[in-house]
Amino acid sequence: MSKRGEVMFKNKANGGKNNICGKQIYTIRKNAVPTMSQRILAEKLQLIGIDVDKNAIQRIESGQRFITDIELYAIAQVFNVNIMTLYGEETE
């Protein structure tokens, strides 16, 4: 609580990161066969209408940038994985 008794909301993940899926996106991208660069991932997202560049991918993966649900859904499509996989959770 703040000094005025107001609840302080936390919009960051543990460790102060702006998302919880960046590390998993990095891992999936690096383990892709063939390995996918940040630039290629950005290009694939642009082809389906998501306006991101290589720098945005880098900031997402490092946790410096928030990621929208639309972007997350598109990344799952590019990798052909269930969206929960991007959170590090395997689903059947």
Side-chain angles (χ1 to χ4, degrees):
M1 290 194 161
S2 70
K3 294 179 183 178
R4 297 181 194 173
E6 299 169 359
V7 175
M8 298 291 291
F9 293 100
K10 162 177 117 164
N11 287 343
K12 297 196 181 249
N14 292 338
K17 299 207 180 243
N18 288 321
N19 67 60
I20 60 174
C21 57
K23 184 177 178 183
Q24 187 68 6
I25 292 168
Y26 170 83
T27 300
I28 293 170
R29 181 178 61 77
K30 292 303 264 186
N31 290 331
V33 177
T35 300
M36 186 182 302
S37 69
Q38 292 173 338
R39 183 173 313 282
I40 290 180
L41 176 55
E43 288 172 359
K44 287 179 179 279
L45 291 168
Q46 289 168 6
L47 287 173
I48 57 176
I50 304 300
D51 186 24
V52 295
D53 61 12
K54 177 213 172 285
N55 294 326
I57 300 298
Q58 188 278 325
R59 291 191 316 272
I60 288 169
E61 290 181 348
S62 67
Q64 297 173 329
R65 181 183 180 278
F66 290 104
I67 183 169
T68 67
D69 55 350
I70 296 166
E71 292 167 335
L72 197 61
Y73 181 76
I75 290 170
Q77 285 182 307
V78 167
F79 290 136
N80 195 31
V81 298
N82 183 296
I83 198 166
M84 294 307 291
T85 303
L86 299 179
Y87 290 104
E89 299 179 22
E90 293 298 326
T91 59
E92 294 181 22

